Amino acid sequence: MAKSQIIKDIANGTADIQTALKRTKVLLQELNNDKLLQWVNYEIEGYPENADIPDYRIIGGQVYGTYFKGSIATHVQYNHVPISLGNLPDEIKNDILTIKITQGIEALNAMVIESRRKENGGLTRLIPSELYPHIAQANNDLGMIIVTASVELNMAEILNIFPKIESKLLDILLFLEKQFGKLDDLDINTESKSEEELERITNHIYVVIYNDKSITIGDKNKIKDSNIASSIEK
């Protein structure tokens, strides 16, 4: 069967992710399931503060900073060098080094483009200055006077967000095409399926999106044995 144009556009790179998400939203609307639409809306508009963030949007980083050691007259200054978090508790380390990327896909793309224009490139998150003495203490160096410190995000992990979303969109659309036929009219005939078939279709798409095979969702939105478990400053 010839592929739907939306699938060919994504596969050929002629449709940007924002457009692909909007087209997919129109199709998923027919399934009348808020949980599926929530993912599409969050990817378009951004994730609210208390929302569960997908694993592919949780990014690691490395602390860099500027600090000096010694007296004011004889100090040695270190500019933009890696700083260890030493023996800080793991919970605090993870809180500092792990960043949740909440921006909508278009806003995130704009941030990546803008970051490439900067001298050092990359995206960073500032570390609050009240943590500086604790970081120095964790390095067993009370003579370390930190001037600035920030987490530089792993750019490869950030860039990987885009193909992850594209891959999920293709999996969803290929599955919908298999179930309902060509999608060129951005319409699917849900009346051609029984209630049980629609629930199975909805569950399959849920697994594609959330990678959680413990979920059963349908008209009653049941969830069985589920284990579903900030801004970036440029």
Side-chain angles (χ1 to χ4, degrees):
M1 182 179 73
K3 294 300 177 190
S4 305
Q5 189 62 46
I6 180 176
I7 293 175
K8 291 190 285 188
D9 287 345
I10 297 174
N12 294 331
T14 55
D16 61 78
I17 301 180
Q18 180 86 339
T19 300
L21 283 165
K22 289 178 180 178
R23 292 180 181 177
T24 303
K25 177 178 179 177
V26 173
L27 290 165
L28 291 181
Q29 191 82 40
E30 299 297 323
L31 295 176
N32 194 31
N33 185 276
D34 292 340
K35 194 68 176 177
L36 299 184
L37 288 173
Q38 178 179 275
W39 174 75
V40 178
N41 287 330
Y42 284 173
E43 290 295 342
I44 293 173
E45 303 170 8
Y47 285 77
E49 183 176 349
N50 296 324
D52 289 328
I53 307 298
D55 289 345
Y56 59 84
R57 279 178 164 268
I58 300 176
I59 308 299
Q62 167 67 52
V63 176
Y64 282 82
T66 295
Y67 65 92
F68 64 84
K69 298 173 65 174
S71 66
I72 295 178
T74 61
H75 72 274
V76 177
Q77 182 164 326
Y78 301 86
N79 296 312
H80 190 70
V81 295
I83 295 179
S84 170
L85 295 182
N87 56 9
L88 279 176
D90 289 341
E91 183 178 348
I92 297 177
K93 283 184 182 179
N94 291 334
D95 189 50
I96 293 174
L97 296 176
T98 305
I99 315 298
K100 295 179 178 180
I101 309 297
T102 60
Q103 287 75 10
I105 200 65
E106 198 166 67
L108 178 60
N109 186 52
M111 290 171 63
V112 170
I113 293 173
E114 178 63 26
S115 73
R116 287 171 171 167
R117 298 194 182 111
K118 294 163 60 177
E119 182 177 347
N120 294 325
L123 294 170
T124 63
R125 184 183 71 172
L126 294 177
I127 295 176
S129 58
E130 56 264 28
L131 290 178
Y132 294 176
H134 299 288
I135 294 174
Q137 185 175 14
N139 281 270
N140 295 316
D141 190 347
L142 298 180
M144 171 191 281
I145 307 299
I146 300 174
V147 180
T148 62
S150 61
V151 179
E152 295 193 4
L153 277 63
N154 186 316
M155 185 55 71
E157 292 184 21
I158 292 176
L159 294 176
N160 197 44
I161 292 174
F162 301 98
K164 283 277 190 180
I165 296 172
E166 281 186 330
S167 180
K168 289 180 183 292
L169 289 174
L170 281 173
D171 287 344
I172 292 169
L173 294 169
L174 286 166
F175 181 71
L176 288 175
E177 184 183 70
K178 184 176 180 180
Q179 301 300 315
F180 297 101
K182 293 190 72 173
L183 309 171
D184 289 344
D185 293 331
L186 293 182
D187 190 23
I188 54 178
N189 182 17
T190 56
E191 294 181 359
S192 66
K193 302 291 184 183
S194 68
E195 188 172 320
E196 291 75 16
E197 287 175 316
L198 289 175
E199 183 172 349
R200 178 180 58 81
I201 290 168
T202 301
N203 290 341
H204 180 91
I205 296 173
Y206 192 100
V207 171
V208 169
I209 292 173
Y210 294 101
N211 296 321
D212 192 324
K213 298 181 181 179
S214 63
I215 301 301
T216 299
I217 52 179
D219 291 338
K220 296 181 181 179
N221 291 321
K222 296 178 180 178
I223 300 182
K224 297 181 180 179
D225 300 326
S226 174
N227 58 4
I228 296 177
S230 74
S231 300
I232 303 174
E233 299 187 31
K234 295 185 287 182

